[in-house]
Amino acid sequence: MKVDRLMSIVLILLDKERISAQELADRFEVSLRTIYRDIDAIDLAGVPIRSTPGVGGGFEIMPDYKMDSKVFSTADLSAILMGLSSLSNMVRGDELINALAKIKSFIPADRAKEIELKANQIYIDLSQWTGNNNIQPHVEIIKVALQENKLLTFEYIAHQGNKTLRIVEPYQLVMKSSHWYLYGYCQNRNDFRLFRLSRMSGLQILEDTFTLRDFQKPQLEMEDIIAVMQIEIKIRFHQSIIDRVLDYCSYENFYSDGEEHYIVSFPFIENEYHYDILLSFGDKCECLEPLHVREKMKRRIYDIVSIYES
């Protein structure tokens, strides 16, 4: 039972006159059983919930009930403010501003300074240092399409630079490993697809709406797949790039090789992305083994040299 879901349910009930258990279950992507347990927990916490059976029924907070600001602890309010503030760096809109204002209204004056201090102890900035300037506008366009159930069209640049014009039913905005993705039903492919926002151009909302389909969330947890595909290669690198290698390996696994070099087992998948990582280390890194990876690195380096010699 997650505290953040309970708090979200309370805020929804404060904002709506009545909402059904099924609507709550769909919104939070949990079972009806979980929602009923959540409602019981909220009721036990002192927020009086009334249940109305039948068509048009649902849950609602008893009329004239006023939320006691003490329902939320200092840690609860700090965590909520931290999350909303961090998200507002990347996802802008009146809904986030309103949510922040509502949460701040629960903060007693005598605890305001303490809660502000705790909320600022961890700062998460999802915005990019540099990069594609279209990401933020794309996020805002997709948010509107999601809210209004409208089709999106865009040109998509896929593997090896292949360009295709897509018409997509949007279902989710996803952030994974610092990159934004759109998960939606592609009418060109007649299937659900995950599209990286940085690879879109000419993104537009169409006037046509669509009927929501049954869908499963995209498979984003890759641990099992990576465990099968990933190998360990041995690299030797200069100390000047130790900070970059630390993005992939822990310092405890480094072994000194002379005064200025280290050797480490480097996690590697045999695809273009990981070969590009090794190439990005330039002349400060050498792949020692396995031999076939070393040979492929040599061929890539020769190909690069041939471009500059021609």
Side-chain angles (χ1 to χ4, degrees):
M1 188 180 297
K2 296 184 178 179
V3 173
D4 56 349
R5 187 176 65 242
L6 297 181
M7 292 179 182
S8 297
I9 291 174
V10 171
L11 291 175
I12 290 170
L13 292 173
L14 285 170
D15 190 51
K16 289 178 174 284
E17 290 185 1
R18 184 179 298 166
I19 187 168
S20 70
Q22 188 62 59
E23 188 176 347
L24 287 171
D26 293 341
R27 181 172 299 198
F28 294 103
E29 297 179 348
V30 296
S31 67
L32 283 171
R33 194 176 194 177
T34 297
I35 291 299
Y36 288 127
R37 285 202 301 263
D38 289 349
I39 293 296
D40 287 340
I42 292 169
D43 193 55
L44 287 172
V47 180
I49 305 294
R50 181 167 65 186
S51 175
T52 304
V55 178
F59 299 114
E60 59 187 317
I61 292 180
M62 296 286 285
D64 303 324
Y65 172 74
K66 300 296 183 183
M67 174 77 71
D68 184 352
S69 61
K70 293 180 181 178
V71 166
F72 295 112
S73 68
T74 297
D76 293 337
L77 291 168
S78 300
I80 296 171
L81 287 174
M82 186 191 307
L84 289 175
S85 298
S86 299
L87 188 60
S88 65
N89 292 325
M90 191 62 194
V91 182
R92 299 181 178 89
D94 292 339
E95 64 271 22
L96 275 176
I97 295 172
N98 293 337
L100 276 167
K102 286 180 181 178
I103 294 301
K104 288 179 179 178
S105 70
F106 290 122
I107 301 176
D110 60 337
R111 288 196 288 160
K113 196 167 185 178
E114 177 190 1
I115 290 172
E116 182 182 4
L117 176 64
K118 289 186 177 296
N120 290 328
Q121 286 177 338
I122 298 177
Y123 182 75
I124 303 170
D125 189 348
L126 301 176
S127 61
Q128 296 176 301
W129 288 101
T130 58
N132 192 327
N133 292 328
N134 287 330
I135 300 300
Q136 179 60 45
H138 283 174
V139 169
E140 297 304 319
I141 291 171
I142 293 170
K143 279 173 56 185
V144 173
L146 285 167
Q147 292 165 359
E148 299 179 0
N149 283 0
K150 287 190 173 180
L151 294 173
L152 289 166
T153 182
F154 52 87
E155 187 175 64
Y156 195 67
I157 302 176
H159 186 57
Q160 297 183 337
N162 295 323
K163 295 181 182 179
T164 52
L165 185 65
R166 304 295 184 101
I167 296 177
V168 174
E169 302 168 9
Y171 282 81
Q172 280 186 324
L173 259 175
V174 178
M175 172 167 270
K176 177 73 173 179
S177 189
S178 301
H179 296 292
W180 281 101
Y181 297 86
L182 165 66
Y183 184 63
Y185 186 85
C186 178
Q187 295 190 351
N188 306 73
R189 300 291 186 264
N190 295 320
D191 199 3
F192 283 93
R193 291 287 191 272
L194 203 60
F195 300 96
R196 190 155 157 176
L197 267 60
S198 61
R199 298 175 185 171
M200 296 178 180
S201 62
L203 178 64
Q204 295 180 27
I205 300 178
L206 299 179
E207 288 302 316
D208 299 331
T209 58
F210 63 94
T211 302
L212 292 174
R213 305 170 186 265
D214 291 332
F215 78 103
Q216 293 183 338
K217 292 191 294 183
Q219 178 63 42
L220 301 175
E221 301 302 325
M222 303 294 289
E223 286 83 357
D224 293 339
I225 298 173
I226 289 174
V228 174
M229 300 175 62
Q230 188 170 281
I231 63 173
E232 297 283 336
I233 65 173
K234 186 176 290 185
I235 64 171
R236 181 177 184 267
F237 63 93
H238 191 265
Q239 63 182 12
S240 60
I241 64 166
I242 190 172
D243 56 325
R244 296 183 58 200
V245 179
L246 282 169
D247 289 337
Y248 307 95
C249 311
S250 62
Y251 185 73
E252 290 75 16
N253 295 326
F254 292 2
Y255 297 94
S256 296
D257 185 43
E259 294 184 359
E260 297 184 337
H261 290 83
Y262 292 92
I263 292 177
V264 69
S265 291
F266 191 86
F268 188 77
I269 295 175
E270 293 193 55
N271 57 25
E272 292 296 322
Y273 177 78
H274 284 81
Y275 277 108
D276 287 346
I277 291 173
L278 290 185
L279 286 170
S280 73
F281 294 147
D283 62 355
K284 306 299 182 186
C285 174
E286 176 188 2
C287 175
L288 301 178
E289 55 183 58
L291 182 60
H292 74 278
V293 174
R294 180 180 174 90
E295 289 300 319
K296 287 182 180 179
M297 283 294 295
K298 285 170 63 176
R299 287 201 296 272
R300 281 169 166 75
I301 293 168
Y302 288 148
D303 289 344
I304 294 172
V305 170
S306 66
I307 292 174
Y308 286 92
E309 287 183 339
S310 62

